[in-house]
Amino acid sequence: MTTTDPKLRSWVETANSPDCDFPIQNLPFGVFSVAGDTPRCGVAIGDRIVDLAACEAGGFLQAGGTFSRPHLNDFIALGRATWDDIRQRLTALLAEDGERNLPLVAMGDATMHLPVTVTEFTDFYASKNHAFNVGVLFRGPENALPAQWTHMPIGYNGRASSVVVSGTDIHRPMGQVKGERGPVWSPCRRLDLELELGAIVGANSAMGDRVSVAEAEQMIFGYVLLNDWSARDLQAWEYQPLGPFQAKAFGTTISPWIVTQAALEPFRCEGAARVNELLPYLQEERPGFYDMQVGWSMNGQKMAQTNYNVMYYSSAQQLAHHTESGCPMRVGDLLGSGTISGPELNQTGALLEMTQGGKNPVTVNGVPRSFIEDGDEIALFGYAEGEGYRIGFGPCTGKILPAKA
Amino acid sequence: MTTTDPKLRSWVETANSPDCDFPIQNLPFGVFSVAGDTPRCGVAIGDRIVDLAACEAGGFLQAGGTFSRPHLNDFIALGRATWDDIRQRLTALLAEDGERNLPLVAMGDATMHLPVTVTEFTDFYASKNHAFNVGVLFRGPENALPAQWTHMPIGYNGRASSVVVSGTDIHRPMGQVKGERGPVWSPCRRLDLELELGAIVGANSAMGDRVSVAEAEQMIFGYVLLNDWSARDLQAWEYQPLGPFQAKAFGTTISPWIVTQAALEPFRCEGAARVNELLPYLQEERPGFYDMQVGWSMNGQKMAQTNYNVMYYSSAQQLAHHTESGCPMRVGDLLGSGTISGPELNQTGALLEMTQGGKNPVTVNGVPRSFIEDGDEIALFGYAEGEGYRIGFGPCTGKILPAKA
């Protein structure tokens, strides 16, 4: 059975609506609880969640008890053959002629949790539009794009402990900001979002080993939406020479559902045109991007929309580069794509770019905004459109609370 | 009982030698195994290891079973009062009139493991000598010391997955190196060490909360020696604008024994003189440094020695700064001090400084060295000297193997 066949329909009727994020072709994985009970693994279908722990207890599926854990790491560690088996099995169970006694939970009754225990978080910088636009603002047009940018996926290690699930409020950070007579201690005044895709690493690599792009692709379990909240004023003061630190450490929001590579396979496409040939270890045999709409809204107003295929480096290339030196990777590592920005202002994934460093405020529900104010809510969205169905991520939202005194 | 009383002596006779790293005043914690059995927690005394798991099984100590785990994280998470209780109890058991039936293992029979599961690794940059010297080499004398350096502890997130215990061989990394016509793929040609102290975080902080310097100090369990192996040529090409990435990701070696804050308390002292007043959140009520000798050797030849008190920011200040934005910290987080370098060449903690970027090679056992060659072994050392005893870290060594083809 082809699990991505556009003709597939589910006995869960809400899954068959063409604008539903979670049709039977999607089957993203997450972790949920109901009314304060124990978090466990589930799969989204229409407006329901398949309770995978209950499915295993009921004999519908077998995954070594891993679905009862409050994270997906142990299931993911079972490997790609198991991912595929479970996907095949779920497709059969949820198809029109499937198993109508499957234990389901109403999505509206569930609380979503972080889908994985994030082992380590790495953030990249792979949209050329974004890298150039932000480079101009931080360093001027002549030094905007770093010399190595078209030769390697530039990345930095982020902070895993502050990765939170969609719906978690974030306090505006305090920090050092450059003042006229030295730094001042202040609430962040230039708070921003970054629209990204996050790849979940699904297999370990050994220390000292390097992973090819083709191998790296096989190591990726799936993708989430990712908002890398950024304090631009803290960042400007702190980031030289060792990179962003506290400016990016106060919160990173991810969507609760991990959309698998298998579900996105029909949307595979080329990314941005190459400026120069890559070194062999970064070359890919087949394109590693997806034709997928991504965007964001602020307080309910849509602000920008672009396509993931504007990116210059794929997650597989980023993962391969991450092992270039022999750095070991682990199940649960999260790789941020970097801000996804198209060439136009209404395609930018950060306010810093959209307002040109705050100089040209945008209007949100009739009021001007240069950066994010207290009480503002940012929602990311993402979906790939197939024939009569779409593969969506569901919500990835976060609201900014005032700084703690 | 004062556990740091210089007059204390142990019934383990080897602990009473004045040049032993592990007298009864030290009692550092580690994880060991013997002949391939299960790793468990221990404490070093003379040339022996107290088998803490066996101690708990035998009723000598109580720590909720945490000493049977293959890491110290669960013991550390029990909190400072428990750390102090166990230290008091071990001092009584190991004192001359103590318990001679305590289960001990000969250090020579033991294999040492990573003492903690490293949750996340952050590396700082807190020796002004080092920051200036390296800054000159990377950016010239005018831009050597970043503007914010004397106002905040600059740090970056390192990679936790490649932290290894002393004695682990490290493969020379491959990577992109700048060439005349674009980057080339090459084994690292400028492989270096960095002599550091690592602080082990022993308590969690909540997301959104900030921790004062005084609170931060109470959160630190203890210290290890730390060698932050660095690929200088990879670093020079990759590090702008987001900081070091693969150049620091192929290996970080720590000593197997965590010397506790309690053992170092008698050596508390001032650090480097302040250039300017710090913002209040970074000011400390009492000095946060230790009068402690640190240095390194190469292939058995001593290369440099200095004192940890040359540092500008203490681990407590670094930890407080790490929570500035509300970033949550966790038990098992490892904070590298930054390279410890005194003002003289024979006090530098990295070959980059010692050889002035490779221009002035040094002589090691009669042969010239600009950077580390295949087969070279680097050993760090560190100890604080009391009256008739010393608090040492034991070995922190690593050998470089050729790059993997």
Side-chain angles (χ1 to χ4, degrees), chain B residues 50-319:
Chain B
V50 182
D51 183 335
L52 293 174
C55 281
E56 189 162 10
F60 296 110
L61 291 171
Q62 287 178 354
T66 55
F67 288 139
S68 304
R69 313 272 156 79
H71 52 71
L72 280 154
N73 300 55
D74 293 340
F75 165 65
I76 294 172
L78 296 176
R80 180 163 280 266
T82 302
W83 312 342
D84 290 344
D85 285 350
I86 293 290
R87 180 172 168 86
Q88 288 278 348
R89 180 80 184 131
L90 282 169
T91 304
L93 289 166
L94 289 165
E96 277 181 313
D97 58 349
E99 173 55 60
R100 300 198 178 212
N101 291 318
L102 215 57
L104 301 186
V105 166
M107 219 173 251
D109 293 340
T111 300
M112 298 306 299
H113 303 271
L114 266 186
V116 290
T117 299
V118 178
T119 321
E120 298 194 62
F121 168 42
T122 308
D123 200 26
F124 287 90
Y125 189 50
S127 154
K128 199 167 151 216
N129 305 301
H130 173 77
F132 181 80
N133 292 342
V134 170
V136 168
L137 294 167
F138 274 92
R139 291 176 297 279
E142 275 153 44
N143 299 308
L145 204 63
Q148 82 279 36
W149 199 92
T150 61
H151 297 284
M152 67 162 65
I154 298 179
Y156 67 97
N157 300 297
R159 181 79 192 172
S161 67
S162 50
V163 177
V164 296
V165 72
S166 172
T168 307
D169 294 338
I170 307 271
H171 282 277
R172 176 179 300 274
M174 297 290 295
Q176 287 198 27
V177 175
K178 194 174 180 176
E180 284 181 19
R181 284 168 306 194
V184 294
W185 173 248
S186 167
C188 168
R189 297 161 186 169
R190 292 162 71 91
L191 186 57
D192 203 354
L193 77 146
E194 289 194 335
L195 165 68
E196 303 194 24
L197 204 64
I200 307 288
V201 175
N204 298 327
S205 69
M207 184 153 164
D209 282 358
R210 295 187 300 274
V211 164
S212 70
V213 175
E215 289 165 339
E217 192 174 271
Q218 294 295 307
M219 287 171 64
I220 294 172
F221 176 68
Y223 297 89
V224 291
L225 293 172
L226 187 152
N227 182 353
D228 183 38
W229 302 93
S230 299
R232 301 300 182 190
D233 42 358
L234 276 63
Q235 186 178 351
W237 174 238
E238 79 176 359
Y239 90 110
Q240 291 286 17
L242 300 185
F245 184 48
Q246 291 305 288
K248 302 269 196 173
F250 60 96
T252 303
T253 303
I254 65 174
S255 62
W257 296 109
I258 307 176
V259 174
T260 63
Q261 234 183 17
L264 289 173
E265 192 54 39
F267 308 96
R268 184 181 287 275
C269 70
E270 300 280 351
R274 298 251 165 261
V275 171
N276 46 250
E277 195 178 8
L278 293 172
L279 285 168
Y281 83 98
L282 285 174
Q283 289 174 15
E284 38 191 7
E285 289 166 22
R286 56 177 188 164
F289 301 88
Y290 300 109
D291 176 9
M292 187 159 65
Q293 296 295 314
V294 291
W296 60 282
S297 66
M298 189 171 189
N299 302 333
Q301 178 180 311
K302 186 165 139 184
M303 302 293 290
Q305 182 167 340
T306 183
N307 194 303
Y308 174 63
N309 70 12
V310 301
M311 301 300 270
Y312 200 84
Y313 295 107
S314 70
S315 297
Q317 288 174 310
Q318 292 169 336
L319 178 51

Side-chain angles (χ1 to χ4, degrees), chain A residues 88-385:
Chain A
Q88 288 277 349
R89 180 79 184 130
L90 281 169
T91 303
L93 290 166
L94 288 164
E96 277 180 314
D97 57 350
E99 172 54 60
R100 300 198 177 213
N101 290 318
L102 215 57
L104 301 187
V105 166
M107 219 172 250
D109 293 342
T111 300
M112 298 306 299
H113 303 271
L114 267 186
V116 290
T117 299
V118 178
T119 320
E120 298 194 63
F121 168 43
T122 307
D123 200 26
F124 287 90
Y125 188 50
S127 153
K128 199 168 152 215
N129 305 300
H130 173 77
F132 181 80
N133 293 340
V134 170
V136 169
L137 295 167
F138 275 91
R139 291 175 298 278
E142 274 154 43
N143 299 308
L145 205 63
Q148 82 279 36
W149 198 94
T150 61
H151 297 285
M152 67 162 67
I154 298 180
Y156 68 97
N157 301 296
R159 182 78 192 173
S161 66
S162 50
V163 177
V164 295
V165 72
S166 173
T168 307
D169 294 338
I170 307 271
H171 282 277
R172 177 179 300 274
M174 298 290 296
Q176 286 198 28
V177 176
K178 195 174 181 177
E180 285 182 16
R181 285 168 306 194
V184 294
W185 173 247
S186 167
C188 167
R189 297 162 187 167
R190 292 163 70 90
L191 186 58
D192 204 355
L193 76 146
E194 289 193 336
L195 166 67
E196 304 193 23
L197 205 64
I200 307 288
V201 175
N204 299 328
S205 69
M207 185 155 165
D209 281 359
R210 295 187 300 274
V211 164
S212 70
V213 176
E215 288 165 339
E217 191 173 89
Q218 294 294 306
M219 287 171 65
I220 294 172
F221 176 69
Y223 296 89
V224 291
L225 293 173
L226 185 152
N227 182 352
D228 183 38
W229 302 93
S230 299
R232 301 300 183 190
D233 42 359
L234 276 64
Q235 187 179 350
W237 174 237
E238 78 175 1
Y239 90 111
Q240 291 285 19
L242 300 185
F245 183 47
Q246 291 304 288
K248 303 269 197 173
F250 60 97
T252 302
T253 302
I254 65 173
S255 61
W257 296 110
I258 306 176
V259 174
T260 62
Q261 233 182 19
L264 289 172
E265 192 54 40
F267 307 96
R268 183 181 288 276
C269 70
E270 299 281 350
R274 298 251 165 261
V275 172
N276 46 252
E277 195 178 9
L278 293 173
L279 285 168
Y281 83 98
L282 286 173
Q283 290 175 15
E284 39 193 9
E285 289 167 21
R286 55 176 188 165
F289 301 89
Y290 300 107
D291 176 9
M292 187 158 66
Q293 296 296 314
V294 292
W296 61 281
S297 66
M298 190 170 188
N299 302 332
Q301 178 179 311
K302 186 164 140 184
M303 302 294 289
Q305 181 167 341
T306 183
N307 195 303
Y308 174 64
N309 69 13
V310 301
M311 301 299 271
Y312 200 84
Y313 295 107
S314 69
S315 297
Q317 288 173 309
Q318 292 169 336
L319 178 52
H321 180 67
H322 213 316
T323 70
E324 173 204 38
S325 68
C327 175
M329 304 302 294
R330 296 180 291 191
V331 171
D333 284 342
L334 173 64
L335 309 185
S337 62
T339 306
I340 308 171
S341 290
E344 305 300 328
L345 287 181
N346 66 359
Q347 297 174 327
T348 52
L351 278 163
L352 183 71
E353 287 173 82
M354 188 176 279
T355 68
Q356 289 149 313
K359 287 197 297 284
N360 300 316
V362 288
T363 301
V364 184
N365 299 334
V367 292
R369 278 285 182 282
S370 297
F371 290 98
I372 298 171
E373 303 289 337
D374 292 345
D376 284 346
E377 184 174 76
I378 303 293
L380 312 187
F381 61 86
Y383 54 86
E385 290 200 278

